[in-house]
Every structure is written in structure tokens, then in C-alpha cells.
Amino acid sequence: MPTRAESAALTRRALLDAAADLLDLGGPEAVTLREVGARAGVSRGAPYRHFTGKDSLLTAIATESWQRIGDQVHALRTEQGVPAADKLRGALRTLIGVGRKQPHLYQILFRRPGHRPEELREGLDRVRRQLCGPGDDPVADRLRAAGRFQSEFLAVVAELVGERDARHYTALLLTSAHGIADMELSGHLGADSLGTTAEELVDTLVRLVTDAGATA
């Protein structure tokens, strides 16, 4: 028989998987704690024992996604015998691929927090936990996970342009990748519209950064 902690971890995992499925199928509007609980096959009150509300659930999904993306970029960065340019190309394609395959998740990853009533309430809950005692901070976990991805990406870029210029080119590449993904999601990027593709643009970005590193 599983322990209470093991049972709680299994329930949380089922809730996160169910919420991720609903997000992919219908966007954030489809993710409600009641629907998530029903899809996970748990009691009606179970979601509320693991998440303070809908936004904390979406924050947890974003955190896991950033962790997964960070793991993928880390694997690329540390792979032996792969040219630095190919590592960068793979890292850019990883990020753009999320936008292509899971557009609702992608929007959640880059959503600016703190502007919805649910998020304000969760912010107040976070302050209360910090004042009254120890507790997990889902938003901080999300920021750490996103920061780890950025650090891994920064290290990939540094292989090409050096430490001094790595942040500048990382900013250029990430904003470009985000623009590519957003244009593709909106249907404004393609051979029929602008006469190019996301893959071609990624190749151009990699070539530009590689050339900049060679002349530095």
C-alpha cells in the first residue's frame, strides 16, 4: 500500500497531467479545478488540497514545462562531438517547437504574471505565507525553472560568441525565437506569406551569431 505522501504525490501528478491535457485541448479557459478533478478521477475536493486556485495549477504546469525545456537544452549543450552552431540551432528549435506543438502552453510560459484577479490573490497568499511561516512559492519555482533554461541557453551562445557578448546575443536570439513562434502561431509566417519558414529563419540566426563569434 502506498504511504500518505506517495498517494498525495500520485494525486498531484494525475491533476497536473489532466490539467495539461485540458490546456492543450481548449486553452486556459478549459482548465478549471472541477474539470481537472473529474478528468483525473479524484474526489471533488482533491484539487483544492493541492492547489490554491486555477492560476497556481497553471503556474505548476509552466514550471514543469520550463524544467523540461531546460533539461532538453542542457542535454544539447553537454552532448559531446556536436558543433556549437548545431547546439544553438537545436536549442532554438526546441523553444519554437513548443509554440508549434502546444500553442496554449507556449502562451502560458510567456504570460506576464500579476494582472489577473486570481494572480493578485495568489500574490497576497504568497506574502502571507512568507510572513506567517515556511511554505512553497509556486511563482518563485516557475521563475527559477525559467531562469535555469535561460542559463543553459546562455551557455550555448557563449560557446559561439564568448562570455562577454553572450547576454547580448542571447537577448537577440530569444526575442527573435519568440517573434518567430508568435508569427507562426498567428498564421503570418510561411512560404505563402513572407516567403520563408521558421526553419530558414533559425538557420539565418545561427549563421549570423556564428559569424559574429568568428570575427569577435
Side-chain angles (χ1 to χ4, degrees):
M1 292 288 292
T3 65
R4 170 176 272 182
E6 290 171 339
S7 179
L10 289 171
T11 299
R12 180 181 171 84
R13 179 74 268 149
L15 291 168
L16 285 168
D17 290 343
D21 288 342
L22 287 169
L23 179 63
D24 285 344
L25 290 171
E29 294 76 15
V31 182
T32 66
L33 266 63
R34 175 173 292 186
E35 287 298 321
V36 168
R39 191 177 185 90
V42 300
S43 66
R44 184 169 294 184
Y48 299 91
R49 290 193 290 272
H50 291 269
F51 303 98
T52 60
K54 170 178 176 174
D55 201 69
S56 69
L57 180 55
L58 291 175
T59 298
I61 291 173
T63 299
E64 287 198 341
S65 298
W66 278 125
Q67 289 169 341
R68 186 164 54 250
I69 296 168
D71 287 344
Q72 291 172 332
V73 176
H74 175 77
L76 283 166
R77 181 177 68 81
T78 57
E79 189 172 356
Q80 298 296 316
V82 177
D86 289 342
K87 293 179 182 181
L88 178 57
R89 184 177 290 104
L92 289 168
R93 287 177 175 173
T94 294
L95 188 59
I96 294 170
V98 177
R100 183 176 289 168
K101 297 173 184 175
Q102 295 177 282
H104 296 300
L105 171 62
Y106 188 85
Q107 296 295 337
I108 291 293
L109 291 178
F110 287 97
R111 187 183 69 196
R112 183 179 178 186
H115 295 278
R116 289 166 43 190
E118 303 96 311
E119 293 166 334
L120 176 60
R121 183 168 59 250
E122 294 223 342
L124 295 174
D125 288 343
R126 188 164 65 256
V127 171
R128 190 178 301 113
R129 287 197 301 271
Q130 292 171 344
L131 292 174
C132 299
D136 293 331
D137 188 339
V139 175
D141 290 341
R142 171 182 172 169
L143 291 174
R144 278 191 294 270
R148 176 177 173 254
F149 156 76
Q150 183 171 302
S151 295
E152 291 288 348
F153 192 93
L154 187 69
V156 171
V157 177
E159 285 191 49
L160 286 168
V161 300
E163 296 288 344
R164 187 189 65 181
D165 295 326
R167 290 189 177 276
H168 174 78
Y169 283 102
T170 291
L172 173 66
L173 288 163
L174 290 180
T175 53
S176 297
H178 186 52
I180 290 169
D182 197 49
M183 289 283 284
E184 198 171 58
L185 281 174
S186 65
H188 292 108
L189 177 62
D192 295 334
S193 52
L194 292 176
T196 190
T197 65
E199 286 74 18
E200 290 172 342
L201 291 174
V202 166
D203 287 341
T204 299
L205 287 169
V206 172
R207 187 166 58 250
L208 288 171
V209 173
T210 301
D211 290 345
T215 59

